[in-house]
């Protein structure tokens, strides 16, 4: 039956995500490993997988719009299936957008009613779905969040709550170890912890149920049955709750043992592993940090907000001195400034992420002796109406080389390759908000002075934010020059829809050997990033050889 896909937690500081792109539309077939959307977080643009199979029935957040963590963004199920009950069940509580009342998907097979013996006939799908929907009005399902872009599962390091504990929406329920770090999981739900589905030390797949929070007496079995896990997990949930059965069930979730691990016995400090690790990294005495967690337990936010007082610092320094080196006392305190993303920065993040993770980049490097180019530029500027820069010479040489190697002047269009007959060179410019790429159109047909004059006008417009769309679009090849900033060489990310970008370093005096004699020459390093879907290594190498010939002997550009 239909399954809900929610906005995942993609970073430890994320509260909402913006849908940068939908890769599927309503009616499309979805596989469990399909990327259904790209989400822009506070740190990066990342891919979202649904981990379900079926047909995309519903999209809840338009491209460019934001959704809170755990908010429903899509529903996948069978063609024509009625999914409205999931939307109604998914947002019954005031903080639904923060993950309240997870509308858990209905099962694909029949399951026993929560309050019926296992020997009774299986309930119809509609009864199971109805029971689950009723239970979800009073409960929130907590799932294993996606905490990194490469995470497929997370291991529960510690539970900070046990079954029966009261939970607040901002409580840290558990600490999860991912492939990159140990991070805290917040449930975004108020109520009682009714069920723990993963023991400490065990792993759960992304989007798997790890806990359920809600009103006491909520039919947890119905929710688990609707999830399609069968009777065994439901029995575990029943055993996890006092008075659920009359017997003394020994199989209690490991979370109930959590207090033993964190209790303040033998003088030990009650603190989460993540909090201890952060305190050690920051040089903070964990025993001095007041805890705000359950029973005074110290959690991550306590360490983040802790400011050492002057008194402990004064007393610890002499003590450390007895052992040798004095203790380090930081001057001031940690801090940061959050700057809202500009639309330009959002576009840069989206487009370059798409390019880097979609186009298979490879890199070609070449050294160019610029002695003759330097002499030619000096002569040109004596008669040119505008000052010609080395970058202008690279633009002209690149445009002429593209004329001889048209495959480098191509674009990847998904189902076909477009070989452009015109040559428009984009030249990257750094401004306060990021990078923008003004375009010199028909660069191969223009003289050096025409390129220099047009480039100067475009750069001035870019810095004054007066560029028109037609002046920063339509590029067929791009150049990024950091030579004027003293960078010897670097690699650049391809600027879509180009098939390549040229990274230009500075001109540097270098000692070389020629016929047994040493001499000093001026060398400029060029690195071309190529999209291997279009440009093969030999094609790129021949292009760079032609470009090198033009720059090392500029008079050939005039022929």
């Amino acid at each position: 039956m239909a399954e809900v896909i929610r906005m995942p937690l993609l970073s430890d500081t994320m509260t909402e995500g913006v849908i940068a792109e939908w890769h599927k539309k309503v009616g499309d077939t979805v596989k469990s490993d399909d990327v259904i959307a790209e989400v822009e977080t506070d740190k990066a643009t990342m891919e979202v997988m649904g981990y379900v199979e079926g047909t995309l029935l519903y999209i809840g957040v338009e491209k460019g719009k934001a959704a809170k963590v755990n908010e429903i963004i899509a529903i996948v199920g069978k063609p024509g299936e009625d999914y409205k009950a999931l939307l109604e069940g998914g947002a019954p509580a005031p903080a639904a957008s923060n993950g309240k009342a997870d509308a858990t998907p209905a099962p694909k097979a029949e399951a026993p009613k929560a309050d019926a013996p296992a020997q009774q006939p299986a309930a119809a799908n509609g009864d199971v779905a109805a029971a689950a929907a009723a239970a979800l009005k009073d409960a929130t399902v907590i799932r294993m969040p996606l905490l990194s872009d490469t995470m497929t599962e997370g291991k529960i390091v510690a539970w900070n709550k046990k079954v029966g504990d009261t939970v607040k929406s901002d409580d840290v329920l558990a600490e999860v170890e991912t492939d990159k770090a140990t991070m805290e999981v917040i449930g975004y739900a108020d109520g009682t912890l009714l069920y723990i589905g993963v023991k400490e030390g065990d792993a759960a797949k992304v989007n798997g149920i790890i806990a359920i929070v809600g009103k006491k007496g909520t039919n947890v079995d119905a929710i688990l049955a609707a999830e399609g896990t069968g009777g065994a997990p439901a029995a575990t949930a029943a055993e996890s709750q006092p008075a659920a059965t009359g017997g003394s069930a020994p199989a209690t979730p490991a979370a109930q043992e959590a207090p033993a691990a964190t209790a303040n016995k033998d003088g030990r400090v009650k603190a989460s592993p993540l909090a201890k690790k952060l305190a050690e990294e920051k040089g903070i005495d964990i025993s001095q940090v007041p805890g705000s967690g359950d029973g005074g337990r110290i959690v991550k936010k306590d360490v983040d907000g802790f400011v050492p007082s002057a008194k402990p610092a004064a007393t610890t320094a002499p003590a450390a001195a007895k052992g040798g080196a004095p203790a380090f006392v930081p001057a001031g305190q940690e801090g940061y400034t959050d700057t809202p993303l500009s639309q330009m920065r959002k576009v840069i993040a989206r487009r370059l992420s798409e390019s880097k993770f979609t186009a298979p980049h490879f890199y070609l490097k070449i050294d160019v002796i610029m002695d003759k180019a330097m002499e030619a530029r000096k002569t040109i500027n004596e008669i040119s109406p505008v000052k010609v820069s080395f970058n202008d010479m690279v633009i002209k040489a690149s445009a002429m080389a593209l004329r001889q190697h048209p495959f480098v002047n191509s674009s990847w269009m998904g189902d076909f390759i477009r070989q452009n007959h015109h040559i428009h060179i984009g030249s990257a410019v750094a401004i306060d908000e990021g990078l923008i790429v003004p375009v010199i159109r028909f660069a191969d047909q223009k003289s050096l002075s025409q390129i220099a004059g047009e480039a100067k006008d475009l750069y001035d417009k870019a810095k004054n934010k007066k560029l028109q769309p037609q002046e920063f679009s339509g590029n067929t090849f791009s150049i990024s020059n950091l030579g004027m900033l003293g960078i010897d060489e670097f690699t650049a990310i391809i600027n879509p829809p180009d098939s390549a970008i040229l990274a230009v370093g500075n001109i540097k005096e270098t000692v070389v050997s020629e016929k047994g004699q040493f001499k000093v020459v001026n060398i400029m390093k060029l690195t071309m990033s190529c999209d291997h879907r279009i440009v093969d290594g030999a094609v790129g190498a021949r292009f760079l050889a032609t470009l090198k010939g033009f720059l090392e002997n500029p008079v050939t550009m005039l022929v």
Side-chain angles (χ1 to χ4, degrees), residues 344 427-438 455-468 471-472 484-485:
M344 178 181 289
S427 181
V429 177
I431 58 177
D432 292 341
E433 289 79 8
L435 282 174
I436 194 166
V437 186
K456 184 180 183 302
D457 290 342
L458 289 172
Y459 299 159
D460 289 342
K461 284 184 178 181
K463 292 174 181 177
N464 294 318
K465 301 179 183 179
K466 292 182 179 180
L467 277 179
Q468 298 301 307
E471 294 174 324
F472 57 82
M484 67 287 291
L485 298 179

Side-chain angles (χ1 to χ4, degrees), residues 11 13-14 16-20 39-46 64 66 337-351 353 432-434 465:
S11 77
T13 56
M14 174 181 172
E16 66 177 16
V18 176
I19 301 294
V39 171
E40 189 178 310
T41 73
D42 56 336
K43 292 185 176 179
T45 298
M46 302 172 70
T337 300
D338 292 333
T339 304
L341 286 178
S342 65
Q343 290 302 313
M344 178 181 289
R345 179 56 64 183
K346 289 180 180 180
V347 171
I348 290 171
R350 177 177 59 81
R351 285 173 58 86
S353 295
D432 292 341
E433 289 79 8
K465 301 179 183 179

Side-chain angles (χ1 to χ4, degrees), residues 18 149 170 203 206 230-231 233 258 267 276 302 305 317 358 379 406 424 438 464 472 481 522:
V18 176
D149 53 343
D170 58 351
V206 169
K276 291 178 180 178
D302 300 325
T358 302
T379 303
H424 295 346
N464 294 318
F472 57 82
N481 190 338
N522 293 281

Side-chain angles (χ1 to χ4, degrees), residues 73 97 144 274 321 331 493:
I73 60 173
S97 61
M144 176 62 70
L274 183 58
I493 298 175

